[in-house]
Every structure is written in structure tokens, then in C-alpha cells.
Amino acid sequence: LSTRVRSHLVIVDAVRMLMAHGPSGGNLGDVRKADTIIASPDIVAADSYAASLFGYQPDKLAYIKRGAQMGLGINDLSQLRIEEIPLG
């Protein structure tokens, strides 16, 4: 879909992350509170940063690597300008 319709804004809700037994079988012990919202005009960059919150290297995930190869976005976190904005 992303090859046909380009997103102007991608939002990833990582306030509470199910770390195991997902997407529907987890329990509260499998939840990590990250208190993070990712907003980006780049779908690959957003998924790359989200993957890093789970401890994954974005370039090791085939769908992220393929998206970058197709020119859909950037998967190298060192090339991104990441801003953390504290709330509260």
C-alpha cells in the first residue's frame, strides 16, 4: 500500500508495548511501559525506531530493509533527527 499511497504522517503508539505472547495472548507481565509516541512523515523511519524500542536492529528486519531498498524511507537511525519531547 505504501508504494501507491504515501503517508504524510505516521503515528506509532508505544505507550505500552506487548513484549511477548502477542498480539492477543499476552498478560500484564508481558507489557513494558515505554511512554513513547512516534510521529514521522517517513513510514520506514517510524517502524525502524519502533523496532529499536523492542531491542531489534532495524536493518535485520526484512520488511524494514525492503522498504528502505524500495525508497519508501530511511532505516538507518543514525541518519534521523530524533527529538524527545517530555510531557508533563
Side-chain angles (χ1 to χ4, degrees):
L1 182 62
S2 292
T3 62
R4 302 285 183 223
V5 179
R6 295 292 174 122
S7 300
H8 295 282
L9 180 63
V10 178
I11 304 290
V12 178
D13 177 352
V15 173
R16 293 172 193 231
M17 300 169 36
L18 185 59
M19 304 301 289
H21 307 109
S24 61
N27 61 52
L28 289 177
D30 298 327
V31 175
R32 185 179 113 214
K33 195 169 181 208
D35 287 331
T36 301
I37 301 288
I38 300 164
S40 176
D42 181 333
I43 193 168
V44 176
D47 270 7
S48 295
Y49 189 71
S52 75
L53 296 176
F54 283 93
Y56 293 112
Q57 300 273 336
D59 61 336
K60 303 291 186 202
L61 297 172
Y63 81 98
I64 291 176
K65 189 174 181 179
R66 183 70 177 125
Q69 290 170 342
M70 293 173 69
L72 298 176
I74 298 170
N75 68 338
D76 182 353
L77 296 178
S78 70
Q79 293 183 19
L80 302 177
R81 188 187 76 185
I82 298 170
E83 291 184 42
E84 292 187 16
I85 302 169
L87 301 175

